[in-house]
Amino acid sequence: MQKIGSMLPVLLLLILAACGNSDSEITQVEAESIVLQHLIEDLNKDKDQIKIKSVSQSFGKYIVEWKIDESCEFGNIQVDDQNGELLEAEESNC
């Protein structure tokens, strides 16, 4: 019984590590392009005013932070790293 108890944390760690190592189907550049397209086409933002602040990847998604200085707008959009689907978007004004 003690062997099973000591092997359980190791097995759990291996399972969690395997789940976290899935390869992305889309690249960081593609995620950035998806966000820009969404901002321009769906939200009618001016392409020349949008600045991408950062792109990070975490837990199966890209998080793209953007801003528009001229209108004091900023936000972030989460993009699924497997299929490019928009997951969540936040937008704020100063």
Side-chain angles (χ1 to χ4, degrees):
M1 182 69 175
Q2 190 171 356
K3 284 185 178 182
I4 293 174
S6 64
M7 290 183 65
L8 188 59
V10 173
L11 182 60
L12 182 60
L13 181 64
L14 289 173
I15 291 171
L16 290 174
C19 291
N21 286 336
S22 64
D23 291 331
S24 300
E25 292 293 321
I26 65 168
T27 65
Q28 184 173 333
V29 172
E30 290 171 321
E32 192 174 320
S33 177
I34 290 167
V35 167
L36 285 172
Q37 180 179 359
H38 171 68
L39 291 170
I40 295 164
E41 294 178 6
D42 298 336
L43 301 179
N44 298 317
K45 307 290 184 193
D46 185 351
K47 176 178 116 176
D48 297 326
Q49 294 180 347
I50 300 169
K51 294 180 185 172
I52 300 298
K53 290 174 49 176
S54 68
V55 181
S56 60
Q57 187 178 19
S58 177
F59 299 107
K61 61 188 171 192
Y62 288 102
I63 302 168
V64 182
E65 295 184 25
W66 59 272
K67 69 178 183 175
I68 301 174
D69 288 330
E70 288 80 4
S71 57
C72 198
E73 296 177 76
F74 58 94
N76 66 63
I77 299 177
Q78 298 177 10
V79 179
D80 188 295
D81 71 359
Q82 296 300 308
N83 59 21
E85 178 182 335
L86 298 178
L87 300 173
E88 186 175 323
E90 295 179 13
E91 181 178 343
S92 297
N93 294 348
C94 297

